[in-house]
């Protein structure tokens, strides 16, 4: 294209010499000229922007090497902002009668400096009129008394920034003032460099050193491209203030303090500042513009994106499948019979079926000596449906696991669209707006107190003691800030502080990334909180809050730590690769924890101790290097509907004195037990490696002081319980027993499906109080369905125990009741009673796949009454006992013996157990915590069995 006969490139070269007014006039000639002027963005407009003494690089101080999207637009925004202070003159002129007939007064320029008409700022101000410009030439100007500004003026420094230094204390009494290109220092008699109580002050491209700036409402201020070195900006009851592209360095206290509710009395500048804010580019994300800060931290977890929908399993072989974590028995060539193991337990020597259990049809097995094996018609209760097909099978190395839509992270834009209240907060402007500023190398960043309001967008806080503190009913809005290397917490809220914390990148802080206390109730949304030296988020001292859709990873302690009556709502977060627990609930902490992905953490995915009473619902807890859920000493709460998958330790680990309600969870493919209940017998309270020191969560000292300040409240939805309850869970394909019990306290195990685990279905090693096992389906486990050790009190009622590779039930217990169970199709005996056991066997239906229906070993005491016992193989008797055992009483039992090949037996009247629809369910409510003051200790209980080391994987929260 040519304009006026000259090539376009030549026109651009010519126009590059024009000044700003001439460029404006040229753009009005025609559309072709307008587009030509716009095309000068990277040349002439860039020169004008960088050459202006009133501003700096548009992305200073955070990204001075990154060019703006448009130099012309950046220059335009600064030019409009620089004229805000004069808007008052237009208002005054329009209010004067006959203003059209008045001649407009020209602004004067008063020069100050050696060889000029004035030698001090004070003398120039004495002669200044409305809106005059006072120019200070290079030099140092020290005022000996306080300067009172009575008329609106513009004070500018001539030359480069730093050549004009002003030592003064200025008190503004006029409606508006602008100060530009000066270095401010306090006068000898006062630390206050500038103060206004009602007017508007505008600072552009200034340096402030070692003093204070005070703005009181209804006064306003607009600060841009300024540097504050050890300078405190105090904003009291301000209706609106703007701090943009500023640098705060080396503060000995807070850099910015926002105190008091915004004044309802607003000055003339309020509406112009509000319009300027709304017209400037906002930092809220577009729908497809996800923020992902570039960090050289382990490749940012392989560029973990908020839209990631799958999990990749690392390693050459999965350690969590039963095939790898459980040793296979030695097979004998040509023999498929079960062998007698220790304590008379039978272990099958047959190949595994596809689901880790045994098919009722027994396909592929040899019938030695042409003997027939009788079969019953029944249906094994298999694992219940889970989140998706990815969690039905074993974890495969290198495979990608697709997450269901409910667990996929949303973008910030999507979350704000769904949550109108959050959108209103993100769009609101009230109090102080701090945008694209840098706070570094000092004590504090921004302190908001006493009903103050502040909004922070696109700032960097680094190398401070803390970044932001919000207390005393104040509200903050933080969008897309970087907060790192703080010596304490990054963001600290207490005393009913609140607001919105969204889209921030918070990392490498010495304490918690976000610390919530004393009834504070913020919305924490779509942040990245990672690589902290302590926890990611801490909620304590009656703190609340909504923690939603965040990525919390690679923190040294718990990703989220809830204690001392903290009660947040934690939902939709991805918490992964932490060096401790994913979520820890301790010291009477509460909380609703729902639909989170908690994966690959070094300790328990969720750790509940010392009176913690959360509601843990519908979470995916997977691939942890220890246990999935740990309920430590005196832990409580409702654990419902979670998928606990492929953790190297246990699925759920429960300590003595804990009273959780574990219901409707899918616990599968964990390396050790599915659910383990332990008593801590050795009294170990020491922490290897120096860990275990009491955590210091108070601002200045002892964490225990919080106990005296806790709110005394009773939640009617949290009802106390007196017994731990494991109910309606699907526990399958775990490396050791599905359920392991070594406890001195009562336990109820109701309506669970315990299927295809690598050891027994249920192992009860210690149960000095009654353990009730009722209406469970226990099938296809590698060894016996149920084993009860000596001196245990156990009641087995209404269970279906099918197709296990050892015995159906084997017991040494001195008080065992086996009542109304179906014990069918197991490879060993249906029921084996070992010496010194005391068992009541009543109204059961018993069938062994190839062995005895009931086998009594040694001097076992038993009452066997009203049972139906089916014959297995043709050469096996139904019942076996020693001849002189008078303590085994047989009464009214029915024996069904094979007569012909066409015989078929069915389980009818009643149908095959368990009868899940008729089971008595326990209380489904959550449970209240009890007040305790001691911190948690490390678990060191022994793990019984031969598939793992002598002790459990440690699951400790400091």
């Amino acid at each position: 294209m040519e304009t006026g006969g000259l090539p376009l490139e030549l026109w651009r070269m010519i126009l590059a010499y024009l000044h700003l007014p001439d460029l404006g006039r040229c753009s009005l000639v025609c559309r072709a000229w307008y587009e030509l002027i716009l095309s000068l963005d990277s040349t002439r407009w860039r020169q004008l922007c960088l050459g202006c003494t009133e501003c700096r690089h548009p992305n200073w101080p955070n990204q001075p090497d990154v060019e703006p999207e448009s130099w012309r637009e950046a220059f335009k925004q600064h030019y409009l902002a620089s004229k805000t202070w004069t808007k008052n003159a237009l208002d005054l002129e329009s209010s004067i009668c006959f203003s059209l007939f008045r001649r407009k007064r020209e602004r004067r320029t008063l020069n100050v400096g050696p060889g000029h008409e004035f030698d001090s700022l004070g003398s120039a101000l004495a002669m200044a009129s409305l809106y005059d410009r006072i120019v200070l030439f290079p030099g140092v100007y020290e005022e000996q008394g306080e300067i009172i500004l009575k008329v609106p003026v513009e004070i500018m420094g001539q030359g480069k920034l730093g050549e004009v230094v002003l030592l003064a204390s200025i008190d503004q009494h006029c409606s508006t003032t602008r100060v530009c290109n000066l270095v401010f220092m306090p006068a000898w008699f006062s630390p206050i460099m500038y103060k206004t109580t009602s007017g508007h002050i505008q600072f552009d491209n200034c340096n402030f050193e070692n003093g204070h700036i005070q703005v009181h409402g209804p006064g306003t201020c607009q600060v841009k491209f300024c540097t504050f070195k050890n300078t405190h900006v105090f904003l009291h009851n301000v209706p609106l203030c703007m701090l943009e592209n500023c640098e705060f360095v080396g503060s000995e206290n807070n850099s910015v303090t926002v105190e008091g509710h915004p004044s309802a009395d607003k000055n003339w500048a309020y509406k112009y500042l509000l319009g300027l804010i709304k017209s400037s580019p906002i930092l809220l994300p577009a729908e497809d513009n996800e923020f992902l800060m570039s960090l050289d931290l382990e490749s940012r977890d392989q560029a973990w994106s908020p839209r990631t929908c799958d999990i990749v399993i690392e390693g050459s072989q999965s350690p969590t499948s039963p095939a790898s974590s459980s040793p296979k028995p030695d097979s004998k060539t040509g023999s498929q019979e079960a062998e007698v193991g220790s304590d008379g337990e039978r272990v099958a020597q047959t190949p595994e079926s596809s689901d880790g259990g045994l098919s009722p049809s027994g396909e592929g097995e040899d019938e030695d000596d042409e003997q027939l094996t009788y079969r019953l018609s029944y249906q094994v209760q298999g694992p219940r449906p889970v989140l998706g097909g990815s969690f039905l099978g074993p974890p495969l190395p290198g495979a990608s696991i697709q997450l269901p839509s409910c667990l996929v992270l949303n973008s910030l834009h999507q979350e704000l669209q769904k949550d109108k209240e959050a959108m209103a907060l993100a769009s609101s402007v009230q109090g102080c707006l701090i945008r694209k500023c840098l706070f570094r190398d000092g004590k504090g960043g921004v302190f908001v107190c006493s009903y103050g309001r502040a909004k922070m967008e696109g700032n960097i806080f680094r190398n401070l003691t803390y970044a932001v503190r919000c207390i005393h009913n104040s509200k903050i809005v933080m969008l897309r800030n970087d907060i790192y290397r703080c010596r304490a917490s990054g963001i600290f809220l207490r005393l009913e502080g609140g607001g919105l914390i969204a889209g921030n990148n918070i990392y490498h802080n010495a304490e918690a990334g976000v610390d919530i206390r004393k009834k504070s109730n913020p919305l924490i949304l779509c942040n990245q909180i990672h690589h902290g030296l302590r926890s990611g988020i801490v909620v304590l001292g009656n703190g609340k809050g909504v923690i939603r859709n965040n990525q919390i990873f690679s923190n040294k302690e718990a990703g989220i730590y809830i204690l001392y009556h903290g009660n947040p709502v934690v939902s939709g977060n991805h918490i992964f690769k932490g060096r401790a627990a994913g979520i820890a609930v301790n010291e009477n902490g509460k909380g609703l924890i729902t639909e989170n992905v908690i994966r690959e953490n070094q300790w328990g995915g969720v750790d509940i101790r010392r009176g913690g009473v959360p509601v843990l619902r519908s979470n995916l807890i997977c691939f942890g290097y220890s246990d999935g859920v740990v309920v430590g000493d005196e832990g409580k709460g409702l654990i419902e509907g979670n998928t606990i998958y492929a953790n190297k330790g246990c699925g759920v680990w429960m300590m003595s004195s804990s009273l959780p309600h574990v219901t409707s969870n899918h616990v599968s493919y964990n390396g050790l037990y599915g659910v383990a209940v332990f008593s801590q017998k050795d009294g170990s309270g020491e922490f290897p490696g120096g860990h275990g020191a009491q955590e210091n969560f108070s601002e200045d000292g002892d964490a225990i002081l919080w106990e005296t300040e806790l709110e005394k409240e009773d939640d009617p939805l949290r009802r106390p319980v007196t017994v731990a309850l494991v109910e309606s869970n699907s526990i399958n394909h775990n490396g050791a027993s599905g359920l392991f019990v070594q406890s001195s306290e009562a336990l109820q195990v109701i309506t669970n499906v315990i299927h295809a685990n690598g050891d027994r279905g249920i192992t009860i090693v210690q149960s000095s109080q009654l353990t009730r096992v009722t209406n469970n389906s226990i099938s296809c486990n590698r060894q016996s369905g149920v084993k009860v050790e000596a001196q245990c009190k156990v009641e087995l009622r209404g269970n279906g125990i099918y197709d296990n590779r050892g015995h159906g039930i084997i017991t040494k217990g001195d008080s065992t009741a086996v009542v109304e169970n179906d014990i069918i199709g197991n490879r060993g005996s249906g029921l084996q009673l070992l010496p010194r056991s005391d068992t009541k066997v009543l109204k059961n239906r018993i069938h062994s796949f190839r062995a005895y229906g009931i086998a009594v070993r040694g001097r076992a005491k038993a009452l066997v009454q009203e049972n139906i016992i089916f014959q297995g193989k043709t050469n096996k008797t139904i019942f076996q006992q020693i001849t002189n055992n008078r303590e085994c009483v047989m009464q009214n039992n029915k024996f069904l013996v094979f007569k012909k090949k066409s015989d078929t037996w069915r389980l009818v009247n009643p149908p095959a157990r368990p009868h899940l629809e008729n089971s008595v369910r326990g209380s489904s409510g959550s449970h209240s915590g009890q007040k305790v003051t001691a911190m948690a200790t490390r678990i060191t209980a022994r793990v019984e069995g031969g598939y793992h080391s002598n002790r459990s994987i440690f699951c400790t929260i400091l």
Side-chain angles (χ1 to χ4, degrees), residues 462-534:
R462 72 170 190 240
N463 298 326
L464 304 167
T465 300
Y466 64 86
V468 178
R469 295 180 68 197
C470 177
I471 67 172
H472 293 298
N473 299 94
S474 298
K475 297 292 184 290
I476 58 175
V477 176
M478 298 191 65
L479 300 174
R480 295 185 175 277
N481 302 279
D482 271 30
I483 301 172
Y484 58 99
R485 295 197 182 98
C486 292
R487 294 181 290 275
S489 298
I491 303 173
F492 186 82
L493 301 102
R494 62 178 293 183
L495 296 173
E496 301 187 55
L500 173 66
I501 301 171
N504 302 282
N505 193 21
I506 304 171
Y507 60 99
H508 274 312
N509 297 291
E511 299 287 341
V514 182
D515 190 316
I516 305 170
R517 311 186 186 199
K518 287 192 173 182
K519 300 184 183 180
S520 294
N521 190 20
L523 172 57
I524 302 175
L525 188 65
C526 297
N527 301 280
Q528 294 184 9
I529 305 173
H530 56 98
H531 291 91
L533 302 183
R534 301 291 290 270

Side-chain angles (χ1 to χ4, degrees), residues 395-547:
L396 301 176
S400 179
I401 291 183
Q402 193 74 16
L403 293 178
S405 59
C406 65
L407 296 181
V408 176
L409 285 174
N410 294 323
S411 66
L412 179 55
H413 176 83
Q414 291 171 327
E415 286 293 319
L416 294 178
Q417 290 295 323
K418 291 193 304 182
D419 191 336
K420 300 304 179 184
E421 182 180 354
M423 176 61 84
L425 278 173
S427 304
S428 64
V429 179
Q430 194 179 22
C432 179
L433 172 63
I434 303 173
R435 180 186 292 174
K436 295 188 286 187
C437 295
L438 172 62
F439 296 80
R440 64 178 177 90
D441 304 322
K443 180 179 180 180
V446 179
F447 179 44
V448 188
C449 61
S450 302
Y451 297 89
R453 299 290 186 269
K455 182 175 184 179
M456 289 155 270
E457 296 183 57
N459 305 287
I460 292 178
F461 300 83
R462 72 170 190 240
N463 298 326
L464 304 167
T465 300
Y466 64 86
V468 178
R469 295 180 68 197
C470 177
I471 67 172
H472 293 298
N473 299 94
S474 298
K475 297 292 184 290
I476 58 175
V477 176
M478 298 191 65
L479 300 174
R480 295 185 175 277
N481 302 279
D482 271 30
I483 301 172
Y484 58 99
R485 295 197 182 98
C486 292
R487 294 181 290 275
S489 298
I491 303 173
F492 186 82
L493 301 102
R494 62 178 293 183
L495 296 173
E496 301 187 55
L500 173 66
I501 301 171
N504 302 282
N505 193 21
I506 304 171
Y507 60 99
H508 274 312
N509 297 291
E511 299 287 341
V514 182
D515 190 316
I516 305 170
R517 311 186 186 199
K518 287 192 173 182
K519 300 184 183 180
S520 294
N521 190 20
L523 172 57
I524 302 175
L525 188 65
C526 297
N527 301 280
Q528 294 184 9
I529 305 173
H530 56 98
H531 291 91
L533 302 183
R534 301 291 290 270
S535 298
I537 299 176
V538 170
V539 186
L540 70 156
N542 289 302
K544 299 179 183 178
V546 177
I547 304 170

Side-chain angles (χ1 to χ4, degrees), residues 12 15-27 33-52 55 58 68 70-77 79:
R12 288 175 177 167
L15 295 175
Y17 290 93
L18 297 183
H19 295 287
L20 180 62
D22 299 324
L23 287 174
R25 295 185 185 99
C26 289
S27 66
W33 279 70
Y34 175 75
E35 293 177 354
L36 179 62
I37 298 301
L38 292 183
S39 69
L40 303 176
D41 188 81
S42 60
T43 55
R44 184 54 180 162
W45 288 112
R46 184 178 186 273
Q47 292 173 358
L48 288 173
C49 190
L50 295 180
C52 178
C55 65
S70 170
W71 286 97
R72 175 183 173 276
E73 184 65 26
F75 187 75
K76 173 186 173 183
Q77 291 295 330
Y79 181 82

Side-chain angles (χ1 to χ4, degrees), residues 737-739 754 757 759-763 778 781 783-786 804:
S737 297
L739 173 63
I754 303 174
N757 294 285
D759 199 336
R760 308 173 190 95
I762 299 178
T763 301
I778 306 169
N781 297 285
Q783 293 193 28
S784 300
V786 180
N804 298 285

Side-chain angles (χ1 to χ4, degrees), residues 579-623:
R579 294 172 62 184
I583 298 177
V585 186
N586 206 337
E587 304 293 349
N588 298 306
K590 301 178 184 178
L592 174 61
I593 302 169
T594 178
E595 295 185 351
N596 302 280
V597 177
I598 305 169
R599 65 178 178 93
E600 300 176 84
N601 295 287
Q602 292 290 335
W603 296 350
V606 178
D607 194 298
I608 306 168
R609 301 174 189 258
R610 299 294 187 185
V613 55
V615 175
L616 184 67
R617 179 178 292 138
S618 302
N619 301 279
L620 171 59
I621 305 170
C622 60
F623 303 114

Side-chain angles (χ1 to χ4, degrees), residues 805-826:
R805 297 190 178 185
H807 304 297
I809 299 174
I810 179 171
T811 177
K812 298 180 186 178
D814 57 5
S815 180
T816 304
V818 183
V819 182
E820 296 180 349
N821 302 280
D822 286 342
I823 310 170
I824 307 297
N826 301 285

